Amino acid sequence: METTITENQKNTGAFIHLSTFLKYFFPFANYIAPLLIWTFNKDKVFVDEHGKQAINFQLSTMVYTLLIALICLPFVIIFATDIIMLIENIDRNGGEFTINNIKNISGYLLLFGIAILLFFTLFVFELYAVITASIFASRGQLYQYPLCIPFIKTNHKNTI
């Protein structure tokens, strides 16, 4: 790594991480913004390392989100068919709602609650990790995201 890290490099490194929050304003900005900043500054080793880490973490987060969604997909399909059957039963019974119908639905509501909890946990984890990485970059330190899949190989071997 370079012997001196300039303030500009520290700020650029922090900005790469913070630019991932643009996804809340523009679709796919969490990939495009850090990629653009990293591409224009990858000749600086410190910025290059932070750029790779930020992009790897965003891709990892996407993989984890897709995994949670794929796990939940069969339950959503089954739940949709059960809701249709429930509505048909209520229609047939003249609008009466039985306890048995509620028992069938409550299991799915529990599964939806668990899925929402998983997505929320991933959201909080991402907030924590990106803010921590930004702080490390602004201090001139390297940071390795936890649970990050190395899509782009980095030179960083240990967390400082």
Side-chain angles (χ1 to χ4, degrees):
M1 191 156 88
E2 299 167 351
T3 55
T4 59
I5 300 169
T6 65
E7 277 303 309
N8 184 34
Q9 290 176 359
K10 292 177 187 178
N11 292 337
T12 304
F15 190 60
I16 286 174
H17 296 290
L18 292 174
S19 70
T20 62
F21 289 137
L22 288 173
K23 74 179 179 181
Y24 298 112
F25 303 104
F26 306 104
F28 305 108
N30 58 321
Y31 308 108
I32 297 168
L35 186 62
L36 287 174
I37 298 167
W38 171 55
T39 302
F40 291 124
N41 296 287
K42 69 164 67 172
D43 56 327
K44 300 165 188 90
V45 176
F46 181 78
V47 177
D48 182 51
E49 193 62 34
H50 278 281
K52 289 176 183 177
Q53 289 289 335
I55 292 168
N56 279 339
F57 185 68
Q58 290 305 306
L59 291 172
S60 299
T61 303
M62 179 185 64
V63 167
Y64 298 141
T65 302
L66 290 174
L67 283 175
I68 294 170
L70 283 174
I71 290 169
C72 294
L73 185 62
F75 299 112
V76 170
I77 294 169
I78 294 168
F79 178 72
T81 57
D82 279 356
I83 285 291
I84 293 169
M85 290 173 51
L86 175 66
I87 292 170
E88 288 175 355
N89 281 338
I90 291 172
D91 245 5
R92 259 188 258 127
N93 295 334
E96 290 183 25
F97 202 68
T98 64
I99 296 295
N100 192 29
N101 293 336
I102 295 173
K103 286 181 185 176
N104 290 341
I105 301 293
S106 64
Y108 294 114
L109 293 177
L110 178 64
L111 287 172
F112 281 134
I114 292 171
I116 289 170
L117 181 65
L118 286 172
F119 282 122
F120 181 73
T121 303
L122 185 61
F123 168 75
V124 170
F125 172 67
E126 182 182 8
L127 285 178
Y128 165 77
V130 169
I131 291 170
T132 303
S134 301
I135 292 169
F136 270 67
S138 68
R139 291 179 181 164
Q141 299 172 325
L142 295 176
Y143 181 76
Q144 186 172 358
Y145 282 99
L147 304 176
C148 186
I149 303 166
F151 294 100
I152 302 170
K153 297 297 179 201
T154 62
N155 300 324
H156 185 58
K157 298 294 180 208
N158 55 6
T159 306
I160 298 174

